[in-house]
Amino acid sequence: MQNKYGALAAMVYHADKPVGRSFGDVEFYLERLEGVGGPVLEPAVGNGRFLIPLLEAGHTVYGFDASSHMLDICKQEISIRNLADNVSMQRFDDFCYSEKFSAAVIPAGSIQLITSPDECLMFLKRLKGCLSSSGKVIIDTDSLACMVDPGPETRMWNLGDEILTLTESRVRTSYLHQTTVSLLKYEHWRSGQLVSSEMDVFMLRFWGVFEFQSLLIQAGFKNISVTLDYGTPFLRESGDAASGNVITFEALV
């Protein structure tokens, strides 16, 4: 199953997560990238929410995304700011660069869009091959606690005489495979009239801390550290993972 991010989905995403909006990740990642002088790669760059602050901080950043609609927004936002446009349309399973990167960053749980463990391992190996011998990777995942079904939810964004809505309903949760499937309904309204709508089936894969650490090791990474909610180091001997909604893995080549 492939999450598509069509035109209306990209519009809603951009309204909800505009360029520069931080969940604590922008500041955390910039701190972890201090001293990194070489280029940085961001897979699943989306609308540029995260990439553009890195560019504005002086980093050379490349990014890719499988959604042409997301990339259109990203490129427009980059152009408005007269920044270097190094984003392209590529996929997790076939991206390719001639450059060697000093770091790769995957915030906001984007790696969970890869729902097959085998495909995720292949992606991590491909990612490692793009990094320099002293390179690092920083990756966010959501806690397994986020698999609990929150029930149907409708959200709204008021844009003058236009309104965007997103209704999300969980249709399947597999604790065995650690995946969730949700039905997303996007609607665009203008002056009380429905302009357009989209439906998307959205699937995510969740990871346990030790499970994802093992995956990084299988991919060839080393010196793995784990941080909870961009602030608290994870201690293997404690039960801290239960108190962290966002789990950040950092590893070296």
Side-chain angles (χ1 to χ4, degrees):
M1 184 180 298
Q2 181 181 349
N3 304 317
K4 297 177 181 178
Y5 287 105
L8 189 49
M11 187 185 302
V12 170
Y13 187 98
H14 191 51
D16 184 50
K17 302 177 181 69
V19 170
R21 180 180 179 185
S22 177
F23 305 99
D25 52 356
V26 173
E27 298 83 359
F28 177 84
Y29 276 66
L30 282 173
E31 179 182 341
R32 302 307 300 157
L33 291 172
E34 284 185 7
V36 172
V40 177
L41 174 65
E42 185 190 355
V45 71
N47 67 331
R49 175 195 73 86
F50 187 86
L51 175 139
I52 288 175
L54 298 191
L55 289 173
E56 292 176 330
H59 289 283
T60 299
V61 190
Y62 289 70
F64 69 83
D65 203 282
S67 168
S68 61
H69 303 287
M70 283 289 206
L71 283 177
D72 286 344
I73 295 174
C74 184
K75 285 179 172 292
Q76 181 180 16
E77 294 292 333
I78 289 172
S79 177
I80 289 171
R81 295 165 175 80
N82 294 314
L83 297 169
D85 182 349
N86 293 314
V87 298
S88 59
M89 188 171 178
Q90 300 192 66
R91 295 163 49 96
F92 285 126
D93 58 359
D94 62 2
F95 68 94
C96 183
Y97 290 93
S98 58
E99 296 84 356
K100 286 292 185 179
F101 297 95
S102 294
V105 295
I106 312 178
S110 294
I111 198 166
Q112 294 172 233
L113 297 169
I114 306 173
T115 55
S116 161
D118 289 340
E119 290 177 5
C120 192
L121 178 58
M122 291 174 61
F123 164 75
L124 289 172
K125 288 180 176 179
R126 182 179 288 270
L127 191 64
K128 181 176 180 291
C130 289
L131 295 172
S132 65
S133 58
S134 59
K136 68 165 66 175
V137 64
I138 312 174
I139 301 173
D140 284 351
T141 66
D142 292 324
S143 164
L144 286 168
C146 296
M147 291 187 67
V148 176
D149 187 356
E153 178 186 21
T154 298
R155 303 171 64 196
M156 181 180 74
W157 296 263
N158 196 323
L159 309 175
D161 67 342
E162 298 187 335
I163 292 175
L164 301 176
T165 62
L166 167 59
T167 301
E168 178 174 358
S169 303
R170 182 76 59 82
V171 295
R172 186 168 72 246
T173 299
S174 172
Y175 290 102
L176 179 62
H177 296 100
Q178 295 168 211
T179 57
T180 62
V181 179
S182 299
L183 182 64
L184 306 182
K185 182 180 181 180
Y186 302 92
E187 293 181 320
H188 179 195
W189 300 81
R190 181 181 299 124
S191 301
Q193 299 297 315
L194 183 62
V195 177
S196 62
S197 63
E198 287 179 2
M199 298 285 286
D200 194 11
V201 179
F202 193 76
M203 187 173 184
L204 291 173
R205 209 285 184 183
F206 293 79
W207 296 90
V209 174
F210 305 124
E211 182 185 25
F212 198 76
Q213 282 181 317
S214 176
L215 199 70
L216 287 167
I217 292 170
Q218 290 180 65
F221 289 98
K222 59 187 180 182
N223 296 352
I224 302 168
S225 62
V226 183
T227 305
L228 306 180
D229 294 330
Y230 308 120
T232 305
F234 171 74
L235 302 177
R236 186 180 183 91
E237 295 79 11
S238 73
D240 286 346
S243 62
N245 288 321
V246 179
I247 304 168
T248 306
F249 299 85
E250 184 173 349
L252 302 179
V253 171

